Amino acid sequence: MPRGRYSLHDPHDHAPLGEERFQCATGPTGWRYVSQLTDPSGGRTDSTDLTLDDLGRPLRLELRTAQWQVRGAALDGVTWVRTDPAGEHAQEGNALAHAFTGASPAFLVAVARLLRLAPGAPATRVRLVSFTPPALAPRTLDRAWALLESETHPTDSGPLVVDHYRVDDLETGERYSVHLAGDVVLAAPGIELEELESPPSTFT
């Protein structure tokens, strides 16, 4: 069960956004990721709880910020409820999308798990519903993912397979790289892995 810490920053001006402490685990029915974000001053802010089934579909998503929370799952595409903590302003939503995305590194692992791309294959288009803190307002967007290569690196705990993805934002034309090892993000725009207490889990 990997546990660790990511540092998050704005990918454009590199302003620090905080740290995300996480733990995740694979199981016979899928994968679960839970995390707590602290802001640069050390105060707790957002949390993420994401569970995937064995096909990579979101079984359950729960996001929380100081003012909003979202619960969602794969149902008729993806379905969610966004509300304030008191539950007085609940809004339901649905979109013909494949999965969710957001600020947490968990969503990069989730999309890669869902697509299960082969190295060198053509890019695959995926439609996602994004929830960005602090408002967690839903936005539907399209990305194109391609697995460029997989490299095996020797480590003290055994071989480590690192997957290098190219991701294209089909709305803005922005292109960036994502490096994953199992269920851990090694590098991505705005994300740096600072600590990892145990090796990444391997998806079968």
Side-chain angles (χ1 to χ4, degrees):
M1 179 184 295
R3 298 171 182 263
R5 175 173 60 89
Y6 295 110
S7 62
L8 307 180
H9 59 269
D10 188 298
H12 302 290
D13 64 11
H14 304 289
L17 301 177
E19 295 185 338
E20 183 164 324
R21 295 189 177 273
F22 71 94
Q23 62 183 37
C24 52
T26 57
T29 59
W31 180 71
R32 187 179 182 195
Y33 177 102
V34 294
S35 70
Q36 181 73 53
L37 184 72
T38 56
D39 61 26
S41 66
R44 289 191 175 187
T45 54
D46 312 340
S47 65
T48 300
D49 189 339
L50 174 65
T51 302
L52 308 180
D53 67 11
D54 58 355
L55 297 178
R57 298 171 299 192
L59 277 179
R60 185 174 69 90
L61 170 68
E62 183 172 318
L63 301 174
R64 291 178 181 270
T65 67
Q67 301 297 326
W68 296 97
Q69 63 186 40
V70 168
R71 290 187 175 93
L75 180 65
D76 297 326
V78 292
T79 299
W80 65 89
V81 175
R82 174 179 177 266
T83 185
D84 60 296
E88 298 176 354
H89 304 287
Q91 297 176 327
E92 296 183 3
N94 172 264
L96 293 178
H98 300 94
F100 299 110
T101 191
S104 173
F107 294 110
L108 297 175
V109 177
V111 173
R113 178 60 177 163
L114 177 69
L115 297 180
R116 303 188 188 200
L117 301 175
T124 297
R125 181 170 181 158
V126 59
R127 175 157 289 184
L128 305 168
V129 174
S130 174
F131 297 102
T132 303
L136 298 181
R139 185 168 71 93
T140 302
L141 48 83
D142 292 310
R143 298 279 191 264
W145 278 62
L147 177 55
L148 300 183
E149 60 182 349
S150 295
E151 296 183 342
T152 302
H153 301 270
T155 69
D156 294 340
S157 56
L160 180 70
V161 178
V162 177
D163 295 324
H164 176 198
Y165 293 90
R166 185 188 69 224
V167 182
D168 290 289
D169 184 325
L170 299 182
E171 180 181 353
T172 66
E174 181 182 9
R175 172 175 288 182
Y176 54 90
S177 293
V178 173
H179 292 82
L180 304 180
D183 58 354
V184 173
V185 178
L186 300 182
I191 299 169
E192 292 185 18
L193 180 64
E194 301 288 355
E195 295 177 4
L196 187 63
E197 295 181 8
S198 57
S201 300
T202 301
F203 291 111
T204 57

